[in-house]
Amino acid sequence: MSTTSTAPLRGAVASEAPPRAPRLPEAFWLGAVLVLVVVLGVFDAAGKSLWFDEAISVAVARMPWHDFVRTVTADEANMSIYYLLLRPWIAIGGDGEAWIRLLSVVAAVGAVATLYALARRLFSFPVAIVAALLTAVNGFFVQFSQEARSYVLVAMLVTVATYAFVRAIEDDVRWWVVYGAAVTLSVYGHFFAVWFPLAHVMSMPFLADRASRRWKPLLMTLAVSSILVLPALRVAFVRRGTQVFWHPPVTLGGINGVFAAMSGSGGAVLAFATAGLGALAVFGALRLWRTEGRGRDLWHQAVALGTFAVPAFGILAICIVEKIIQIRYFSIVVPALALVVSLGIAQIRWRAARVGVVAVMVLLASVGVARWYDAQKEDWRSALALVHGDAGSNDAVVLFDPYRIKLVDYYDHGLGSVERTQLVYPRSDFQPFPLYRQQEHMSTAQIRAMAARADTVWVLVSEADEPAAVSRFARTMEQTHQRVRTQPFSRVRVVEWQRR
């Protein structure tokens, strides 16, 4: 009796339950994130002046072929693959600020899409889409998606390499070709990419018995790649330490700043939240190791954690040994960090809490994005526009740091000037390559000779210029001229001197 009466009841309850709303396809969510990458990358892309490094990118890319080959093989082998791509990019669309930076936006889209594919294969759709989203809204990542440098391109290439590594290990030996190509190209994008294949090698012991069949093709592929990158690494060792003179020393505050930047430049709260979620990811991997031991699942965790930790600590070690630190070096590990944070979020048991944490992380990251849009590096565009507008034909113009002559070249062209600004220093035939030699400045005799000839002198000074050399220049000028105007711009100032 009870059986016959219960069955219709269960059927009735099932029939009265509201139908579940159909889920949007995964491709929709990925597409939305990629659109966000593009929007954040192109927004106000021309709003900032080129700064020194970007001007070097453009200068190298615009060189005649024989000079280009000599430069990227002897002096600027680092980022050479980016310069090679920038050449046809400029030929297609010109050398406007927005266009040359768009190449990095394209690389950013590729990096986020590949990160999604990697995380989706290793873990699940929620982990993959959150990792992609956190990368897209990371202020540090947005910054370098708007710079004419190779960092986001390298982030894409090392993520492609990791994806190809996983595919080659798990199911298709043909991916070893892709893996070798991606590793090789990434090192030509930036020397610090060498840490990523080391992370891949270090993940192999976690694969247990499956690893024995894959060590040989992995090591063979890396051996071939090592041979192919030898020319670049030779330049790296030959020129080792030659650009130290303009880098700040390593401090504890600088190290803290590195992690805050990688987290998204959103402040201390975002940095602490990122660290906490990263710790959750590590605890999850340790728990898996304790319960299941080595195997495919643990290897997936090792790949994700290792491709962040090994490059991040490797780059930091080099910075400490060389007694320099540049936060931008760490931009190539941002997608890997986002994957680790996404794994940490996945460790949270309650779905509503996970959604809330993602929302808070995106909100905090938006602060870093806003800070980047509001920030300036070196505003040479405004400084040179002032000189173009106010300097007379008989005035003397001094570029305090001669290596920034490529910025003058770029903005003379961009401002429609028929001739280069009439610089008395450096000379028009000054060749800034190779870049990383000892700094040069006007001698006291050169300053006095210039002051004797010119009634008005305009000096372009960067924040990075040596204070002692700037002071020496000023003391010499004060003997015959007086400072009548100092116009500050972001990290650049224009000083006008007139004869007493």
Side-chain angles (χ1 to χ4, degrees):
M1 177 98 174
S2 60
T3 304
T4 55
S5 62
T6 304
L9 179 61
R10 289 177 178 168
V13 171
S15 64
E16 292 173 4
R20 298 181 64 180
R23 292 183 177 181
L24 291 171
E26 295 181 6
F28 170 84
W29 295 108
L30 175 60
V33 172
L34 295 181
V35 169
L36 180 61
V37 174
V38 174
V39 170
L40 294 177
V42 302
F43 176 76
D44 200 31
K48 294 178 173 64
S49 164
L50 293 190
W51 68 294
F52 176 71
D53 284 11
E54 290 183 298
I56 293 302
S57 296
V58 176
V60 173
R62 293 196 303 197
M63 285 179 175
W65 269 110
H66 63 281
D67 292 333
F68 176 83
V69 172
R70 183 181 69 248
T71 298
V72 299
T73 55
D75 300 325
E76 293 297 302
N78 200 23
M79 301 194 181
S80 55
I81 188 63
Y82 176 77
Y83 301 141
L84 187 62
L85 292 174
L86 191 59
R87 285 184 69 88
W89 188 262
I90 289 176
I92 292 169
D95 58 4
E97 293 147 319
W99 175 256
I100 63 172
R101 288 166 173 160
L102 187 61
L103 179 58
S104 293
V105 178
V106 173
V109 171
V112 172
T114 310
L115 175 66
Y116 171 86
L118 171 65
R120 185 69 180 89
R121 184 171 188 86
L122 291 177
F123 304 107
S124 64
F125 168 71
V127 170
I129 200 64
V130 170
L133 176 61
L134 293 180
T135 303
V137 299
N138 184 294
F140 200 43
F141 186 79
V142 173
Q143 172 183 340
F144 288 98
S145 72
Q146 290 195 324
E147 287 201 0
R149 300 296 283 166
S150 75
Y151 299 107
V152 173
L153 175 64
V154 175
M156 183 193 77
L157 289 171
V158 296
T159 309
V160 170
T162 303
Y163 178 78
F165 168 68
V166 172
R167 291 295 303 270
I169 290 291
E170 291 191 335
D171 59 14
D172 193 341
V173 295
R174 291 175 296 182
W175 281 91
W176 287 119
V177 176
V178 179
Y179 178 67
V183 167
T184 303
L185 292 175
S186 67
V187 175
Y188 277 98
H190 199 284
F191 298 148
F192 287 161
V194 297
W195 293 106
F196 286 86
L198 177 61
H200 302 153
V201 171
M202 292 176 66
S203 73
M204 292 294 284
F206 296 96
L207 195 53
D209 57 343
R210 289 173 59 94
S212 61
R213 304 196 307 269
R214 304 303 188 192
W215 272 110
K216 185 176 180 180
L218 171 61
L219 295 179
M220 289 180 60
T221 303
L222 291 178
V224 173
S225 293
S226 298
I227 295 171
L228 294 175
V229 301
L230 278 178
L233 296 181
R234 180 191 65 82
V235 175
F237 281 105
V238 168
R239 304 206 60 77
R240 176 176 173 267
T242 52
Q243 79 186 94
V244 170
F245 64 82
W246 60 34
H247 281 186
V250 176
T251 63
L252 181 59
I255 295 173
N256 291 337
V258 164
F259 189 76
M262 287 191 295
S263 301
S265 304
V269 175
L270 179 60
F272 279 116
T274 300
L277 291 168
L280 276 181
V282 173
F283 290 147
L286 292 174
R287 184 170 59 248
L288 183 64
W289 192 356
R290 209 166 43 241
T291 57
E292 298 184 12
R294 294 185 302 167
R296 184 172 180 271
D297 291 340
L298 184 63
W299 176 65
H300 286 178
Q301 297 277 346
V303 170
L305 295 171
T307 49
F308 165 69
V310 174
F313 284 104
I315 295 169
L316 181 61
I318 291 177
C319 290
I320 292 173
V321 169
E322 295 292 337
K323 300 180 180 178
I324 61 172
I325 194 164
Q326 283 293 342
I327 291 178
R328 61 180 177 267
Y329 297 156
F330 296 84
S331 58
I332 62 177
V333 301
V334 167
L337 177 59
L339 178 54
V340 171
V341 171
S342 183
L343 284 176
I345 294 172
Q347 295 298 316
I348 300 173
R349 181 174 301 179
W350 301 281
R351 182 177 183 275
R354 294 196 297 271
V355 173
V357 169
V358 172
V360 169
M361 293 295 288
V362 171
L363 181 62
L364 292 172
S366 67
V367 175
V369 176
R371 285 177 177 172
W372 162 244
Y373 288 145
D374 192 49
Q376 286 280 352
K377 286 201 170 178
E378 302 170 0
D379 192 5
W380 288 94
R381 178 172 57 195
S382 298
L384 287 163
L386 173 65
V387 173
H388 273 279
D390 291 4
S393 58
N394 295 321
D395 295 353
V397 180
V398 173
L399 181 62
F400 196 84
D401 179 3
Y403 290 94
R404 285 172 164 76
I405 195 169
K406 292 304 178 184
L407 284 156
V408 176
D409 288 342
Y410 180 85
Y411 281 111
D412 275 356
H413 169 72
L415 292 165
S417 178
V418 176
E419 298 179 354
R420 170 190 277 174
T421 301
Q422 296 303 308
L423 292 173
V424 299
Y425 183 83
R427 298 186 316 181
S428 59
D429 60 351
F430 176 78
Q431 176 53 256
F433 299 100
L435 287 173
Y436 308 130
R437 55 193 179 194
Q438 186 60 41
Q439 281 283 54
E440 297 183 12
H441 297 296
M442 291 184 77
S443 67
T444 301
Q446 287 176 312
I447 298 170
R448 288 174 176 165
M450 174 199 64
R453 295 192 306 269
D455 292 334
T456 302
V457 178
W458 300 82
V459 187
L460 292 149
V461 184
S462 144
E463 184 184 79
D465 289 326
E466 299 172 11
V470 175
S471 297
R472 178 180 62 82
F473 181 94
R475 288 194 302 270
T476 306
M477 287 295 298
E478 286 169 352
Q479 298 172 10
T480 55
H481 289 64
Q482 62 180 346
R483 191 180 329 208
V484 297
R485 176 165 48 156
T486 298
Q487 180 63 53
F489 300 95
S490 177
R491 304 188 182 185
V492 182
R493 65 184 184 274
V494 177
V495 183
E496 179 183 1
W497 296 82
Q498 288 187 1
R499 189 177 301 280
R500 294 180 184 276

